[in-house]
Amino acid sequence: MKSKLLWSMTLFTSCLLAQEPIEENKEKIQIKGSVDTYFRTNLTGPNIAFEEDDEIFFLNPGTSFADRSGFSVGMANAIISYEGKKVGFVADLVFGPRGEDAVFLSVGSSNIVNQLYIYFALSEKITLTLGNFNTFLGYEVISPVDNFNYSTSYMFSNGPFSHTGLKADIALSKDLSLMLAVLNSTDFTEINIDGSYTLGTQLGYKDQFLNVIYGNQTGGSGTTFQVDYTGGAPLNKTFFLGVNATYSDTDGNGFYGAAVYPQYTVSEKLAIGLRGEYFGLFEENIDDETVFAATLSANYKIGGLTIIPEVRLDSWSEEIYVDQDLNPTKNLASFLVAAVYTFN
């Protein structure tokens, strides 16, 4: 009888202990995300679609996302994450045109995966991350939740978007950080088909970041070198200034640009911001093609909903647009209004 009682108590205790980590995991697993949709129209050009090389194109500024006329959708974004004392993971899933454009080199079931990585804290100062994660270069990101403007910049649109590989984040001090990474070719998120690898590094100091990638790219003949500065700071309680500058070169061809992001908080619900960007494309023995783009946006918040009306003017050095009469022109003005809802 005594042995049966002892066996029963042991079994009961084992069941309780086995259940504890499961309950703990449930508490730490989080699901959050967003849904966004928009209306966009050209103000100085027709809202038409045209076909070229069996692909459909729309007359738009020429940057990623929010590029369709009329009523359209962005994406539904669901982020599942777990944060333990030493180990955690992120599974970031996207559905819709914005998400599809962001993971353009993924195929099959992977074309809904924006990020998928596991991280492990070796110590209080060193964390390793393995998997697919969004790029550390640039001021803007794929999710509209973390961007003030709904449309994106030329620097962002020319990439990179994402990386797959191994990175180490190192806290050198309270304000100084270092990241080192070995990565597949840019935006090849699930495979390395030719043995090309890219090295990446980031040096951060008080929210100012210097980023570099260097390496051969799949399908390319030369080595890509890109250096990028991203930063910003509040100038007072209501005014914030963000800055981004980048330069990318692959065997004499590439792009460069700089942008400022002044933002003014009017109230708890309303903020107004401007993106002013200068961007250029270069090739050997060919004059640079450049553009200046100014984007004025407002953010009006109602709980988890943000309404973003936006006016944008793009002015190129070449005649790449058409006006209302279908005559070539260097300029395009456009307007959009977007709705972005976040949940957690």
Side-chain angles (χ1 to χ4, degrees):
M1 182 70 180
K2 185 176 180 180
S3 62
K4 288 183 178 180
L5 179 60
L6 180 61
W7 180 85
S8 299
M9 291 177 65
T10 303
L11 180 61
F12 178 71
T13 304
S14 299
C15 290
L16 288 177
L17 291 174
Q19 290 176 1
E20 282 183 357
I22 297 175
E23 293 175 354
E24 182 181 359
N25 287 352
K26 286 183 178 179
E27 291 177 359
K28 292 184 178 180
I29 289 179
Q30 297 181 346
I31 300 177
K32 64 179 183 179
S34 64
V35 174
D36 63 281
T37 184
Y38 67 94
F39 170 83
R40 196 192 76 84
T41 186
N42 296 319
L43 301 177
T44 59
N47 292 290
I48 58 173
F50 56 93
E51 186 174 349
E52 183 177 318
D53 298 330
D54 297 325
E55 291 189 51
I56 301 297
F57 294 89
F58 300 88
L59 181 62
N60 57 55
T63 53
S64 298
F65 317 144
D67 54 0
R68 304 182 180 190
S69 297
F71 295 101
S72 190
V73 296
M75 70 179 186
N77 183 201
I79 304 172
I80 306 166
S81 63
Y82 168 75
E83 184 178 355
K85 291 183 178 179
K86 285 186 172 292
V87 179
F89 71 80
V90 170
D92 182 346
L93 308 179
V94 290
F95 309 87
R98 189 181 185 111
E100 183 179 348
D101 291 347
V103 295
F104 62 97
L105 287 180
S106 298
V107 296
S109 61
S110 296
N111 67 0
I112 65 169
V113 177
N114 182 34
Q115 299 184 97
L116 187 64
Y117 60 83
I118 297 171
Y119 60 87
F120 173 68
L122 291 179
S123 67
E124 292 184 356
K125 294 187 176 182
I126 302 176
T127 300
L128 296 180
T129 301
L130 178 66
N132 168 214
F133 37 85
N134 289 159
T135 188
F136 50 94
L137 288 83
Y139 186 87
E140 300 177 19
V141 296
I142 292 170
S143 172
V145 173
D146 298 316
N147 292 336
F148 191 92
N149 309 102
Y150 187 73
S151 68
T152 57
S153 69
Y154 288 93
M155 286 184 289
F156 170 84
S157 301
N158 279 267
F161 283 178
S162 296
H163 309 283
T164 297
L166 175 67
K167 66 174 181 174
D169 289 286
I170 306 166
L172 300 177
S173 68
K174 180 181 178 181
D175 297 321
L176 186 64
S177 64
L178 175 67
M179 187 277 294
L180 302 172
V182 180
L183 312 161
N184 284 346
S185 294
T186 294
D187 293 314
F188 278 83
T189 56
E190 59 187 51
I191 193 171
N192 188 320
I193 62 177
D194 62 359
S196 297
Y197 287 97
T198 293
L199 301 178
T201 186
Q202 179 186 78
L203 182 65
Y205 180 72
K206 291 186 176 181
D207 295 326
Q208 314 302 309
F209 299 96
L210 181 65
N211 312 296
V212 176
I213 58 172
Y214 179 83
N216 295 327
Q217 303 301 308
T218 296
S221 59
T223 300
T224 292
F225 167 76
Q226 184 171 357
V227 58
D228 175 276
Y229 165 72
T230 302
L235 302 184
N236 55 43
K237 292 183 178 180
T238 60
F239 191 78
F240 176 86
L241 181 63
V243 180
N244 185 204
T246 197
Y247 174 85
S248 178
D249 180 277
T250 304
D251 200 23
N253 304 321
F255 60 88
Y256 55 87
V260 291
Y261 298 81
Q263 297 161 15
Y264 178 71
T265 300
V266 180
S267 66
E268 290 184 0
K269 292 186 176 182
L270 178 64
I272 299 173
L274 176 70
R275 176 180 60 219
E277 179 185 20
Y278 181 78
F279 177 82
L281 298 167
F282 64 88
E283 294 184 37
E284 285 187 324
N285 304 318
I286 297 177
D287 292 340
D288 293 3
E289 295 183 9
T290 60
V291 59
F292 175 75
T295 306
L296 180 64
S297 307
N299 283 197
Y300 184 75
K301 298 183 181 295
I302 310 170
L305 175 65
T306 302
I307 305 296
I308 308 174
E310 184 171 291
V311 177
R312 175 169 176 158
L313 175 63
D314 295 74
S315 182
W316 276 88
S317 58
E318 308 293 330
E319 294 179 334
I320 69 166
Y321 305 121
V322 294
D323 61 20
Q324 296 289 4
D325 297 320
L326 303 184
N327 297 314
T329 179
K330 299 178 181 180
N331 306 312
L332 179 67
S334 57
F335 168 81
L336 70 78
V337 58
V340 181
Y341 185 81
T342 61
F343 61 87
N344 52 38

